[in-house]
C-alpha cells in the first residue's frame, strides 16, 4: 500500500472526439487506452486535444474553426491526410511527416487482432462447413471487382449474397432492408469455405476489417484492395486477387482449390499474420506518437497554419451563405435550360431535316462533356 501511495500521479490531459461512427465509445478505444498508460485522461466537449474522424459521420456536431484546440485527424476511409486543416493526422498512407503523422489503418484501429484462435481440428471444422462462399456488402465497390468475382464464382457454385448488393437470400425484399446483424454475418462467414472480402477501393495501405473478419472466423478470404496487405497477413492464408493476371484466372484457381480438399485445408490451417508482423510494436510506437502530442502545451502543439484564418471567419462565411445558395439556384436553372436547348436541337434535326445544321464531331463531343459536367454539379 505504501508503495502504491508513493507512485506519482499521472498528468491530466483533456481530449475529445468528433465525427466518429455511432458505435464508437469515446471512453474505451485504442486512443484512450494507449493514453491511459501514461496520463489521467478526461474525455470532454471542450478539450485541449480534439480527435476528428471522417466528416460524413457528423463533423457538424462541432464547429472546428471555433474550437481553440489541437486537432488530430483520423480517417478509416480512403481519404488523404489533410495537414492544412489538422495539426496531426492518423491515416493509412505510407508517408513521413516529422512528428505530424502516424500510420494506423482502419484494420489496426478498429479490430482486436488478438481474437484469432487456431483450430483444434482443421479437418473436422472444414468438413462442418455447409456453404461454398459468402458475399456481404452494403454498397457497390468503386472498381466493381468484388461484384464481378461474385458473378464469376456463382457460375460454379452458389454464392450467398446476404447484403443489399446482389442479394439472393431474401427474394422480393427491398435491398436496403437486407442488412444482417454482425453476429449473423460472423456465423455465415464461419459456415462458408470462402469469403469475398474485397475493399471498396484499391490503394496501397488502405486495409479495413474485411479480411480480418474472414480469417478470425476461419473462412479463406478472397481479397482485393491493399497491394501491401502481405506486410500484415500471411500470403499463404488467403487468395490475393493481386497475384492473378485476371479475375477469370483467379476464379479458376479458387475452383481448383475448392476441389482439392488437402490444399484447401492446408490454407485454412495457416496462421493469419505475416512473418515479422509485430502488432505490439506498432501500438508502442502509436503510444509514443500520442504521448508526444498531448505532453505539450496546447499552443506549442499547434502545427497547422492559422494566420490566414481570421477569428471571425465563420461569421463571414455565414454572411456569404445566402449568396452561395442563390448562385446554386441560378446554376441549376442554367443547367435545365441548357438541357432543353440541347434536346430541342436534337428533335428539330430529327423531324425537320436541314433546318438546323449538324454539328461536327468535335463540337458534339464538347457538348456531351459539358452536359455531363452540368449533370454532376446538379
Amino acid at each position: 500500500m505504501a508503495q502504491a501511495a508513493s507512485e506519482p500521479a499521472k498528468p491530466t490531459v483533456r481530449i475529445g472526439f468528433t465525427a466518429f461512427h455511432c458505435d464508437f465509445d469515446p471512453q474505451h478505444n485504442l486512443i484512450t487506452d494507449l493514453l491511459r498508460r501514461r496520463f489521467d485522461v478526461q474525455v470532454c466537449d471542450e478539450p485541449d486535444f480534439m480527435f476528428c474522424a471522417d466528416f460524413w459521420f457528423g463533423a457538424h456536431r462541432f464547429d472546428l474553426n471555433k474550437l481553440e484546440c489541437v486537432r488530430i485527424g483520423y480517417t478509416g476511409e480512403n481519404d488523404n491526410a489533410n495537414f492544412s486543416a489538422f495539426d496531426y493526422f492518423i491515416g493509412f498512407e505510407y508517408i513521413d511527416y516529422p512528428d505530424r503523422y502516424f500510420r494506423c489503418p482502419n484494420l489496426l484501429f478498429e479490430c482486436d487482432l488478438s481474437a484469432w484462435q487456431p483450430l483444434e481440428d482443421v479437418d473436422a471444422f472444414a468438413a462442418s462447413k455447409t456453404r461454398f462462399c459468402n458475399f456481404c456488402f452494403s454498397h457497390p465497390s468503386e472498381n466493381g471487382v468484388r461484384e464481378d468475382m461474385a458473378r464469376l464464382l456463382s457460375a460454379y457454385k452458389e454464392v450467398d449474397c446476404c447484403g443489399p448488393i446482389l442479394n439472393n437470400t431474401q427474394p422480393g425484399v427491398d435491398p436496403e432492408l437486407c442488412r444482417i446483424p454482425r453476429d449473423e454475418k460472423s456465423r455465415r462467414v464461419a459456415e462458408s469455405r470462402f469469403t469475398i472480402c474485397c475493399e471498396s477501393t484499391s490503394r496501397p495501405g488502405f486495409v479495413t476489417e474485411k479480411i480480418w473478419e474472414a480469417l478470425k472466423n476461419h473462412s479463406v478470404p478472397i481479397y482485393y484492395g491493399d497491394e501491401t496487405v502481405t506486410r500484415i497477413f500471411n500470403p499463404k492464408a488467403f487468395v490475393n486477387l493481386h497475384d492473378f493476371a485476371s479475375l477469370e484466372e483467379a476464379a479458376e484457381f479458387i475452383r481448383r482449390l475448392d476441389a482439392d480438399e488437402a490444399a484447401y485445408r492446408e490454407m485454412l490451417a495457416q496462421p493469419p499474420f505475416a512473418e515479422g508482423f509485430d502488432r505490439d510494436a506498432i501500438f508502442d510506437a502509436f503510444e509514443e506518437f500520442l504521448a508526444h502530442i498531448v505532453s505539450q502545451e496546447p499552443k506549442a502543439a499547434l502545427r497547422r497554419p492559422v494566420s490566414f484564418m481570421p477569428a471571425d471567419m465563420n461569421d463571414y462565411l455565414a454572411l456569404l451563405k445566402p449568396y452561395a445558395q442563390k448562385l446554386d439556384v441560378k446554376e441549376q436553372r442554367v443547367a435545365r435550360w441548357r438541357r432543353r436547348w440541347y434536346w430541342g436541337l436534337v428533335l428539330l434535326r430529327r423531324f425537320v431535316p436541314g433546318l438546323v445544321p449538324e454539328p461536327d464531331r468535335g463540337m458534339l463531343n464538347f457538348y456531351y462533356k459539358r452536359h455531363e459536367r452540368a449533370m454532376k454539379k446538379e
Side-chain angles (χ1 to χ4, degrees):
M1 292 293 293
Q3 183 178 359
S6 63
E7 291 181 357
K10 295 180 180 179
T12 300
V13 295
R14 294 159 50 85
I15 66 173
F17 296 91
T18 180
F20 283 78
H21 57 79
C22 57
D23 295 328
F24 181 81
D25 185 352
Q27 297 291 343
H28 301 284
N29 57 77
L30 180 60
I31 292 173
T32 53
D33 290 346
L34 290 178
L35 285 176
R36 283 191 175 116
R37 295 178 181 179
R38 306 189 187 190
F39 301 92
D40 176 19
V41 178
Q42 296 181 3
V43 181
C44 57
D45 289 343
E46 296 183 358
D48 295 321
F49 303 90
M50 176 66 83
F51 291 88
C52 318
D54 305 294
F55 282 108
W56 43 81
F57 284 128
H60 60 277
R61 297 174 193 164
F62 293 92
D63 188 341
L64 293 179
N65 288 330
K66 289 185 176 180
L67 284 176
E68 296 182 358
C69 60
V70 179
R71 303 179 197 164
I72 305 98
Y74 164 77
T75 181
E77 300 295 337
N78 188 359
D79 285 339
N80 294 323
N82 185 344
F83 294 105
S84 294
F86 299 99
D87 300 288
Y88 306 88
F89 208 90
I90 304 162
F92 66 88
E93 298 172 284
Y94 291 102
I95 59 177
D96 292 322
Y97 202 143
D99 68 340
R100 298 184 62 184
Y101 181 79
F102 189 85
R103 182 178 183 270
C104 186
N106 173 277
L107 170 78
L108 299 178
F109 192 89
E110 297 284 350
C111 301
D112 179 10
L113 299 187
S114 64
W116 182 84
Q117 296 295 328
L119 292 170
E120 294 181 1
D121 190 337
V122 176
D123 294 343
F125 188 82
S128 70
K129 290 183 176 291
T130 58
R131 302 176 185 274
F132 164 59
C133 182
N134 72 86
F135 175 96
C136 185
F137 294 96
S138 60
H139 60 84
S141 62
E142 180 182 277
N143 43 42
V145 169
R146 61 193 183 198
E147 293 89 344
D148 292 343
M149 179 53 63
R151 295 186 184 100
L152 285 170
L153 293 180
S154 294
Y156 166 63
K157 285 185 179 180
E158 182 177 6
V159 176
D160 296 317
C161 302
C162 46
I165 304 301
L166 303 181
N167 186 277
N168 59 8
T169 60
Q170 302 181 57
V173 178
D174 183 351
E176 287 301 318
L177 302 178
C178 294
R179 302 173 186 273
I180 61 175
R182 188 178 296 274
D183 292 343
E184 171 68 11
K185 181 180 178 181
S186 297
R187 183 182 66 80
R188 284 181 177 268
V189 170
E191 293 175 349
S192 302
R193 290 170 66 83
F194 299 92
T195 297
I196 297 176
C197 50
C198 305
E199 306 289 1
S200 58
T201 183
S202 177
R203 191 169 173 189
F206 178 63
V207 55
T208 65
E209 81 291 344
K210 296 175 180 62
I211 185 173
W212 173 243
E213 287 181 347
L215 290 168
K216 182 179 66 174
N217 292 287
H218 301 287
S219 176
V220 172
I222 301 171
Y223 182 78
Y224 180 83
D226 177 14
E227 298 175 4
T228 67
V229 71
T230 52
R231 296 185 184 183
I232 299 177
F233 294 111
N234 179 3
K236 297 179 180 179
F238 66 100
V239 179
N240 190 349
L241 298 186
H242 291 283
D243 294 339
F244 299 91
S246 66
L247 294 183
E248 289 76 13
E249 182 181 321
E252 180 59 30
F253 173 82
I254 294 167
R255 294 188 194 103
R256 294 198 305 269
L257 182 63
D258 181 55
D260 187 342
E261 195 63 27
Y264 173 78
R265 294 183 181 186
E266 182 182 354
M267 181 172 284
L268 191 66
Q270 290 288 333
F273 300 113
E275 185 178 352
F277 173 71
D278 190 340
R279 171 177 169 269
D280 293 335
I282 294 174
F283 286 166
D284 288 344
F286 193 20
E287 178 189 342
E288 289 290 341
F289 173 77
L290 296 172
H292 167 68
I293 296 172
V294 303
S295 61
Q296 304 174 80
E297 289 294 326
K299 287 187 178 180
L302 292 174
R303 297 292 187 274
R304 69 184 187 271
V306 294
S307 59
F308 69 92
M309 182 66 74
D312 59 349
M313 179 57 74
N314 282 302
D315 298 332
Y316 176 67
L317 294 177
L319 292 175
L320 289 181
K321 188 173 181 180
Y323 177 69
Q325 290 174 338
K326 289 181 180 179
L327 285 179
D328 290 340
V329 172
K330 183 179 178 180
E331 194 167 306
Q332 292 173 8
R333 188 182 300 119
V334 170
R336 284 195 297 270
W337 278 108
R338 187 183 298 121
R339 287 196 297 272
R340 291 170 185 171
W341 175 260
Y342 171 79
W343 289 111
L345 291 179
V346 170
L347 292 174
L348 283 174
R349 291 193 188 98
R350 177 175 297 179
F351 296 108
V352 191
L355 180 64
V356 179
E358 291 285 343
D360 60 56
R361 181 56 56 184
M363 287 300 296
L364 196 60
N365 289 335
F366 169 77
Y367 282 115
Y368 280 151
K369 291 178 181 178
R370 191 170 71 171
H371 175 67
E372 290 176 359
R373 287 197 298 270
M375 292 292 288
K376 287 180 180 178
K377 283 185 178 180
E378 190 170 354

